Amino acid sequence: MPTTLLRATARAVQRSTATAAMQMQRTFATTPRRAGGGAPHYDPPTGWLFGVKPGEKYEKEGWENIFYYGFCGSFAVFAVAYAFKPDTSIQTWALEEARRRLEAEGILEDPFPEKK
């Protein structure tokens, strides 16, 4: 009986250390790691620029004109909006406020007297 008890204890210790070792090696991922497969996605070089042989005409794809007009159009709209954006800097506000106060005190003349 003591030998069976010793064997059972030894097996239990072995299993617990093996389980602890497996848990220490385990990563955060719960799914097994798999390598990618499938067909190779390598296009061998043809020696021609953009794959067009000399003498052949390049055929545009359907998305190219939409992309060119959309990109250039949005750039033009951005340029116009940026050129006409209001000046909201603190320096401009402070300069105008100082000019108003100096004109109110009579230290500085009004640059546009005909508007009043």
Side-chain angles (χ1 to χ4, degrees), residues 17-47:
T17 55
T19 306
M22 285 176 54
Q23 287 176 351
M24 291 176 71
Q25 291 176 355
R26 192 169 187 174
T27 60
F28 290 112
T30 57
T31 56
R33 190 171 174 196
R34 297 181 184 147
H41 300 286
Y42 175 72
D43 292 329
T46 60

PDB file of all heavy atoms in Angstrom, residues 17-47:
ATOM      1  N   THR A  17       3.530  19.629 -12.271  1.00  0.00           N
ATOM      2  CA  THR A  17       4.672  20.378 -12.791  1.00  0.00           C
ATOM      3  C   THR A  17       4.609  20.478 -14.309  1.00  0.00           C
ATOM      4  O   THR A  17       4.973  21.499 -14.882  1.00  0.00           O
ATOM      5  CB  THR A  17       6.004  19.729 -12.360  1.00  0.00           C
ATOM      6  OG1 THR A  17       6.016  18.366 -12.771  1.00  0.00           O
ATOM      7  CG2 THR A  17       6.209  19.839 -10.870  1.00  0.00           C
ATOM      8  N   ALA A  18       4.126  19.415 -14.975  1.00  0.00           N
ATOM      9  CA  ALA A  18       3.988  19.469 -16.441  1.00  0.00           C
ATOM     10  C   ALA A  18       2.934  20.489 -16.833  1.00  0.00           C
ATOM     11  O   ALA A  18       3.110  21.273 -17.777  1.00  0.00           O
ATOM     12  CB  ALA A  18       3.638  18.088 -16.984  1.00  0.00           C
ATOM     13  N   THR A  19       1.825  20.534 -16.109  1.00  0.00           N
ATOM     14  CA  THR A  19       0.767  21.504 -16.396  1.00  0.00           C
ATOM     15  C   THR A  19       1.270  22.922 -16.137  1.00  0.00           C
ATOM     16  O   THR A  19       1.003  23.840 -16.914  1.00  0.00           O
ATOM     17  CB  THR A  19      -0.462  21.213 -15.519  1.00  0.00           C
ATOM     18  OG1 THR A  19      -0.837  19.853 -15.702  1.00  0.00           O
ATOM     19  CG2 THR A  19      -1.625  22.099 -15.885  1.00  0.00           C
ATOM     20  N   ALA A  20       2.016  23.112 -15.068  1.00  0.00           N
ATOM     21  CA  ALA A  20       2.553  24.440 -14.758  1.00  0.00           C
ATOM     22  C   ALA A  20       3.541  24.877 -15.836  1.00  0.00           C
ATOM     23  O   ALA A  20       3.562  26.041 -16.243  1.00  0.00           O
ATOM     24  CB  ALA A  20       3.219  24.426 -13.392  1.00  0.00           C
ATOM     25  N   ALA A  21       4.349  23.940 -16.325  1.00  0.00           N
ATOM     26  CA  ALA A  21       5.310  24.278 -17.374  1.00  0.00           C
ATOM     27  C   ALA A  21       4.592  24.652 -18.662  1.00  0.00           C
ATOM     28  O   ALA A  21       4.986  25.586 -19.368  1.00  0.00           O
ATOM     29  CB  ALA A  21       6.261  23.109 -17.612  1.00  0.00           C
ATOM     30  N   MET A  22       3.513  23.933 -18.985  1.00  0.00           N
ATOM     31  CA  MET A  22       2.751  24.259 -20.201  1.00  0.00           C
ATOM     32  C   MET A  22       2.089  25.625 -20.075  1.00  0.00           C
ATOM     33  O   MET A  22       2.027  26.398 -21.014  1.00  0.00           O
ATOM     34  CB  MET A  22       1.700  23.183 -20.471  1.00  0.00           C
ATOM     35  CG  MET A  22       2.290  21.890 -21.023  1.00  0.00           C
ATOM     36  SD  MET A  22       1.073  20.588 -21.233  1.00  0.00           S
ATOM     37  CE  MET A  22      -0.147  21.373 -22.230  1.00  0.00           C
ATOM     38  N   GLN A  23       1.595  25.934 -18.885  1.00  0.00           N
ATOM     39  CA  GLN A  23       0.951  27.227 -18.689  1.00  0.00           C
ATOM     40  C   GLN A  23       1.959  28.364 -18.760  1.00  0.00           C
ATOM     41  O   GLN A  23       1.638  29.463 -19.200  1.00  0.00           O
ATOM     42  CB  GLN A  23       0.228  27.255 -17.354  1.00  0.00           C
ATOM     43  CG  GLN A  23      -1.041  26.428 -17.356  1.00  0.00           C
ATOM     44  CD  GLN A  23      -1.694  26.401 -15.994  1.00  0.00           C
ATOM     45  OE1 GLN A  23      -1.126  26.858 -15.011  1.00  0.00           O
ATOM     46  NE2 GLN A  23      -2.896  25.848 -15.941  1.00  0.00           N
ATOM     47  N   MET A  24       3.172  28.143 -18.348  1.00  0.00           N
ATOM     48  CA  MET A  24       4.193  29.185 -18.413  1.00  0.00           C
ATOM     49  C   MET A  24       4.606  29.444 -19.854  1.00  0.00           C
ATOM     50  O   MET A  24       4.947  30.555 -20.226  1.00  0.00           O
ATOM     51  CB  MET A  24       5.405  28.796 -17.572  1.00  0.00           C
ATOM     52  CG  MET A  24       5.115  28.810 -16.076  1.00  0.00           C
ATOM     53  SD  MET A  24       6.501  28.238 -15.120  1.00  0.00           S
ATOM     54  CE  MET A  24       7.619  29.589 -15.305  1.00  0.00           C
ATOM     55  N   GLN A  25       4.594  28.423 -20.702  1.00  0.00           N
ATOM     56  CA  GLN A  25       4.991  28.576 -22.102  1.00  0.00           C
ATOM     57  C   GLN A  25       3.870  29.155 -22.949  1.00  0.00           C
ATOM     58  O   GLN A  25       4.096  29.649 -24.025  1.00  0.00           O
ATOM     59  CB  GLN A  25       5.414  27.224 -22.677  1.00  0.00           C
ATOM     60  CG  GLN A  25       6.699  26.693 -22.108  1.00  0.00           C
ATOM     61  CD  GLN A  25       7.009  25.319 -22.641  1.00  0.00           C
ATOM     62  OE1 GLN A  25       6.222  24.722 -23.355  1.00  0.00           O
ATOM     63  NE2 GLN A  25       8.165  24.799 -22.287  1.00  0.00           N
ATOM     64  N   ARG A  26       2.651  29.078 -22.489  1.00  0.00           N
ATOM     65  CA  ARG A  26       1.504  29.509 -23.265  1.00  0.00           C
ATOM     66  C   ARG A  26       1.521  31.034 -23.447  1.00  0.00           C
ATOM     67  O   ARG A  26       1.798  31.780 -22.514  1.00  0.00           O
ATOM     68  CB  ARG A  26       0.248  29.094 -22.544  1.00  0.00           C
ATOM     69  CG  ARG A  26      -0.968  29.221 -23.382  1.00  0.00           C
ATOM     70  CD  ARG A  26      -2.111  28.556 -22.689  1.00  0.00           C
ATOM     71  NE  ARG A  26      -3.234  28.534 -23.590  1.00  0.00           N
ATOM     72  CZ  ARG A  26      -4.347  27.930 -23.332  1.00  0.00           C
ATOM     73  NH1 ARG A  26      -4.490  27.295 -22.203  1.00  0.00           N
ATOM     74  NH2 ARG A  26      -5.332  27.960 -24.192  1.00  0.00           N
ATOM     75  N   THR A  27       1.201  31.464 -24.648  1.00  0.00           N
ATOM     76  CA  THR A  27       1.174  32.896 -24.928  1.00  0.00           C
ATOM     77  C   THR A  27      -0.210  33.446 -24.653  1.00  0.00           C
ATOM     78  O   THR A  27      -1.112  32.734 -24.241  1.00  0.00           O
ATOM     79  CB  THR A  27       1.549  33.150 -26.405  1.00  0.00           C
ATOM     80  OG1 THR A  27       0.595  32.482 -27.230  1.00  0.00           O
ATOM     81  CG2 THR A  27       2.934  32.631 -26.711  1.00  0.00           C
ATOM     82  N   PHE A  28      -0.411  34.710 -24.948  1.00  0.00           N
ATOM     83  CA  PHE A  28      -1.704  35.343 -24.728  1.00  0.00           C
ATOM     84  C   PHE A  28      -2.756  34.844 -25.713  1.00  0.00           C
ATOM     85  O   PHE A  28      -3.938  34.899 -25.443  1.00  0.00           O
ATOM     86  CB  PHE A  28      -1.584  36.867 -24.849  1.00  0.00           C
ATOM     87  CG  PHE A  28      -0.824  37.472 -23.721  1.00  0.00           C
ATOM     88  CD1 PHE A  28       0.412  38.033 -23.933  1.00  0.00           C
ATOM     89  CD2 PHE A  28      -1.344  37.487 -22.443  1.00  0.00           C
ATOM     90  CE1 PHE A  28       1.120  38.589 -22.889  1.00  0.00           C
ATOM     91  CE2 PHE A  28      -0.654  38.041 -21.402  1.00  0.00           C
ATOM     92  CZ  PHE A  28       0.592  38.592 -21.621  1.00  0.00           C
ATOM     93  N   ALA A  29      -2.329  34.419 -26.885  1.00  0.00           N
ATOM     94  CA  ALA A  29      -3.273  33.957 -27.886  1.00  0.00           C
ATOM     95  C   ALA A  29      -3.848  32.606 -27.476  1.00  0.00           C
ATOM     96  O   ALA A  29      -3.153  31.732 -26.985  1.00  0.00           O
ATOM     97  CB  ALA A  29      -2.583  33.830 -29.236  1.00  0.00           C
ATOM     98  N   THR A  30      -5.126  32.429 -27.691  1.00  0.00           N
ATOM     99  CA  THR A  30      -5.763  31.164 -27.348  1.00  0.00           C
ATOM    100  C   THR A  30      -5.895  30.254 -28.552  1.00  0.00           C
ATOM    101  O   THR A  30      -6.120  29.069 -28.400  1.00  0.00           O
ATOM    102  CB  THR A  30      -7.153  31.401 -26.741  1.00  0.00           C
ATOM    103  OG1 THR A  30      -7.930  32.144 -27.675  1.00  0.00           O
ATOM    104  CG2 THR A  30      -7.039  32.150 -25.434  1.00  0.00           C
ATOM    105  N   THR A  31      -5.801  30.812 -29.756  1.00  0.00           N
ATOM    106  CA  THR A  31      -5.888  29.982 -30.946  1.00  0.00           C
ATOM    107  C   THR A  31      -4.490  29.577 -31.378  1.00  0.00           C
ATOM    108  O   THR A  31      -3.527  30.319 -31.168  1.00  0.00           O
ATOM    109  CB  THR A  31      -6.559  30.742 -32.105  1.00  0.00           C
ATOM    110  OG1 THR A  31      -5.843  31.941 -32.349  1.00  0.00           O
ATOM    111  CG2 THR A  31      -7.992  31.082 -31.760  1.00  0.00           C
ATOM    112  N   PRO A  32      -4.372  28.416 -31.988  1.00  0.00           N
ATOM    113  CA  PRO A  32      -3.038  27.986 -32.416  1.00  0.00           C
ATOM    114  C   PRO A  32      -2.533  28.852 -33.564  1.00  0.00           C
ATOM    115  O   PRO A  32      -3.300  29.400 -34.357  1.00  0.00           O
ATOM    116  CB  PRO A  32      -3.247  26.538 -32.858  1.00  0.00           C
ATOM    117  CG  PRO A  32      -4.687  26.436 -33.171  1.00  0.00           C
ATOM    118  CD  PRO A  32      -5.384  27.423 -32.278  1.00  0.00           C
ATOM    119  N   ARG A  33      -1.245  28.992 -33.637  1.00  0.00           N
ATOM    120  CA  ARG A  33      -0.625  29.800 -34.675  1.00  0.00           C
ATOM    121  C   ARG A  33      -0.564  29.007 -35.966  1.00  0.00           C
ATOM    122  O   ARG A  33      -0.138  27.861 -35.988  1.00  0.00           O
ATOM    123  CB  ARG A  33       0.775  30.182 -34.227  1.00  0.00           C
ATOM    124  CG  ARG A  33       1.418  31.200 -35.082  1.00  0.00           C
ATOM    125  CD  ARG A  33       2.682  31.673 -34.448  1.00  0.00           C
ATOM    126  NE  ARG A  33       3.354  32.550 -35.381  1.00  0.00           N
ATOM    127  CZ  ARG A  33       4.605  32.902 -35.283  1.00  0.00           C
ATOM    128  NH1 ARG A  33       5.316  32.463 -34.279  1.00  0.00           N
ATOM    129  NH2 ARG A  33       5.144  33.691 -36.162  1.00  0.00           N
ATOM    130  N   ARG A  34      -0.992  29.639 -37.060  1.00  0.00           N
ATOM    131  CA  ARG A  34      -1.022  28.956 -38.342  1.00  0.00           C
ATOM    132  C   ARG A  34      -0.218  29.752 -39.353  1.00  0.00           C
ATOM    133  O   ARG A  34      -0.273  30.971 -39.373  1.00  0.00           O
ATOM    134  CB  ARG A  34      -2.453  28.823 -38.840  1.00  0.00           C
ATOM    135  CG  ARG A  34      -3.295  27.986 -37.910  1.00  0.00           C
ATOM    136  CD  ARG A  34      -4.682  27.842 -38.437  1.00  0.00           C
ATOM    137  NE  ARG A  34      -5.480  27.103 -37.475  1.00  0.00           N
ATOM    138  CZ  ARG A  34      -6.760  27.303 -37.266  1.00  0.00           C
ATOM    139  NH1 ARG A  34      -7.398  28.204 -37.960  1.00  0.00           N
ATOM    140  NH2 ARG A  34      -7.397  26.596 -36.381  1.00  0.00           N
ATOM    141  N   ALA A  35       0.474  29.051 -40.206  1.00  0.00           N
ATOM    142  CA  ALA A  35       1.255  29.704 -41.249  1.00  0.00           C
ATOM    143  C   ALA A  35       0.361  29.955 -42.458  1.00  0.00           C
ATOM    144  O   ALA A  35      -0.567  29.204 -42.729  1.00  0.00           O
ATOM    145  CB  ALA A  35       2.436  28.832 -41.644  1.00  0.00           C
ATOM    146  N   GLY A  36       0.637  31.049 -43.177  1.00  0.00           N
ATOM    147  CA  GLY A  36      -0.134  31.358 -44.374  1.00  0.00           C
ATOM    148  C   GLY A  36       0.205  30.403 -45.491  1.00  0.00           C
ATOM    149  O   GLY A  36       1.274  29.820 -45.562  1.00  0.00           O
ATOM    150  N   GLY A  37      -0.732  30.232 -46.361  1.00  0.00           N
ATOM    151  CA  GLY A  37      -0.505  29.311 -47.467  1.00  0.00           C
ATOM    152  C   GLY A  37      -1.173  29.856 -48.710  1.00  0.00           C
ATOM    153  O   GLY A  37      -1.550  31.008 -48.796  1.00  0.00           O
ATOM    154  N   GLY A  38      -1.310  29.020 -49.691  1.00  0.00           N
ATOM    155  CA  GLY A  38      -1.973  29.425 -50.913  1.00  0.00           C
ATOM    156  C   GLY A  38      -0.975  29.616 -52.034  1.00  0.00           C
ATOM    157  O   GLY A  38       0.210  29.300 -51.921  1.00  0.00           O
ATOM    158  N   ALA A  39      -1.482  30.176 -53.106  1.00  0.00           N
ATOM    159  CA  ALA A  39      -0.659  30.376 -54.295  1.00  0.00           C
ATOM    160  C   ALA A  39       0.302  31.537 -54.090  1.00  0.00           C
ATOM    161  O   ALA A  39       0.015  32.473 -53.345  1.00  0.00           O
ATOM    162  CB  ALA A  39      -1.553  30.647 -55.494  1.00  0.00           C
ATOM    163  N   PRO A  40       1.443  31.506 -54.742  1.00  0.00           N
ATOM    164  CA  PRO A  40       2.373  32.640 -54.626  1.00  0.00           C
ATOM    165  C   PRO A  40       1.803  33.866 -55.338  1.00  0.00           C
ATOM    166  O   PRO A  40       1.149  33.755 -56.369  1.00  0.00           O
ATOM    167  CB  PRO A  40       3.641  32.139 -55.313  1.00  0.00           C
ATOM    168  CG  PRO A  40       3.199  31.049 -56.214  1.00  0.00           C
ATOM    169  CD  PRO A  40       1.993  30.435 -55.576  1.00  0.00           C
ATOM    170  N   HIS A  41       2.038  35.023 -54.756  1.00  0.00           N
ATOM    171  CA  HIS A  41       1.518  36.270 -55.315  1.00  0.00           C
ATOM    172  C   HIS A  41       2.630  37.090 -55.937  1.00  0.00           C
ATOM    173  O   HIS A  41       2.661  38.305 -55.814  1.00  0.00           O
ATOM    174  CB  HIS A  41       0.824  37.076 -54.215  1.00  0.00           C
ATOM    175  CG  HIS A  41      -0.319  36.359 -53.591  1.00  0.00           C
ATOM    176  ND1 HIS A  41      -1.520  36.190 -54.216  1.00  0.00           N
ATOM    177  CD2 HIS A  41      -0.443  35.731 -52.401  1.00  0.00           C
ATOM    178  CE1 HIS A  41      -2.348  35.511 -53.442  1.00  0.00           C
ATOM    179  NE2 HIS A  41      -1.697  35.219 -52.318  1.00  0.00           N
ATOM    180  N   TYR A  42       3.509  36.466 -56.598  1.00  0.00           N
ATOM    181  CA  TYR A  42       4.652  37.150 -57.182  1.00  0.00           C
ATOM    182  C   TYR A  42       4.452  37.272 -58.683  1.00  0.00           C
ATOM    183  O   TYR A  42       4.218  36.284 -59.370  1.00  0.00           O
ATOM    184  CB  TYR A  42       5.938  36.367 -56.878  1.00  0.00           C
ATOM    185  CG  TYR A  42       7.162  36.936 -57.546  1.00  0.00           C
ATOM    186  CD1 TYR A  42       7.716  38.130 -57.110  1.00  0.00           C
ATOM    187  CD2 TYR A  42       7.759  36.287 -58.616  1.00  0.00           C
ATOM    188  CE1 TYR A  42       8.822  38.655 -57.716  1.00  0.00           C
ATOM    189  CE2 TYR A  42       8.878  36.811 -59.229  1.00  0.00           C
ATOM    190  CZ  TYR A  42       9.406  37.998 -58.777  1.00  0.00           C
ATOM    191  OH  TYR A  42      10.508  38.522 -59.374  1.00  0.00           O
ATOM    192  N   ASP A  43       4.493  38.498 -59.186  1.00  0.00           N
ATOM    193  CA  ASP A  43       4.438  38.728 -60.625  1.00  0.00           C
ATOM    194  C   ASP A  43       5.861  38.905 -61.117  1.00  0.00           C
ATOM    195  O   ASP A  43       6.538  39.864 -60.730  1.00  0.00           O
ATOM    196  CB  ASP A  43       3.625  39.980 -60.951  1.00  0.00           C
ATOM    197  CG  ASP A  43       2.156  39.804 -60.622  1.00  0.00           C
ATOM    198  OD1 ASP A  43       1.673  38.659 -60.719  1.00  0.00           O
ATOM    199  OD2 ASP A  43       1.504  40.803 -60.284  1.00  0.00           O
ATOM    200  N   PRO A  44       6.325  38.020 -61.959  1.00  0.00           N
ATOM    201  CA  PRO A  44       7.699  38.157 -62.439  1.00  0.00           C
ATOM    202  C   PRO A  44       7.851  39.423 -63.279  1.00  0.00           C
ATOM    203  O   PRO A  44       6.911  39.843 -63.962  1.00  0.00           O
ATOM    204  CB  PRO A  44       7.919  36.894 -63.278  1.00  0.00           C
ATOM    205  CG  PRO A  44       6.565  36.437 -63.635  1.00  0.00           C
ATOM    206  CD  PRO A  44       5.647  36.872 -62.539  1.00  0.00           C
ATOM    207  N   PRO A  45       8.996  40.063 -63.234  1.00  0.00           N
ATOM    208  CA  PRO A  45       9.189  41.299 -63.996  1.00  0.00           C
ATOM    209  C   PRO A  45       9.152  41.037 -65.496  1.00  0.00           C
ATOM    210  O   PRO A  45       9.690  40.053 -65.985  1.00  0.00           O
ATOM    211  CB  PRO A  45      10.566  41.790 -63.549  1.00  0.00           C
ATOM    212  CG  PRO A  45      11.248  40.589 -62.999  1.00  0.00           C
ATOM    213  CD  PRO A  45      10.185  39.702 -62.470  1.00  0.00           C
ATOM    214  N   THR A  46       8.484  41.955 -66.213  1.00  0.00           N
ATOM    215  CA  THR A  46       8.384  41.817 -67.668  1.00  0.00           C
ATOM    216  C   THR A  46       9.419  42.676 -68.374  1.00  0.00           C
ATOM    217  O   THR A  46       9.696  42.470 -69.541  1.00  0.00           O
ATOM    218  CB  THR A  46       6.997  42.233 -68.158  1.00  0.00           C
ATOM    219  OG1 THR A  46       6.764  43.596 -67.801  1.00  0.00           O
ATOM    220  CG2 THR A  46       5.916  41.347 -67.547  1.00  0.00           C
ATOM    221  N   GLY A  47       9.930  43.682 -67.693  1.00  0.00           N
ATOM    222  CA  GLY A  47      10.902  44.568 -68.314  1.00  0.00           C
ATOM    223  C   GLY A  47      10.270  45.798 -68.933  1.00  0.00           C
ATOM    224  O   GLY A  47      10.967  46.678 -69.424  1.00  0.00           O
TER     225      GLY A  47
END
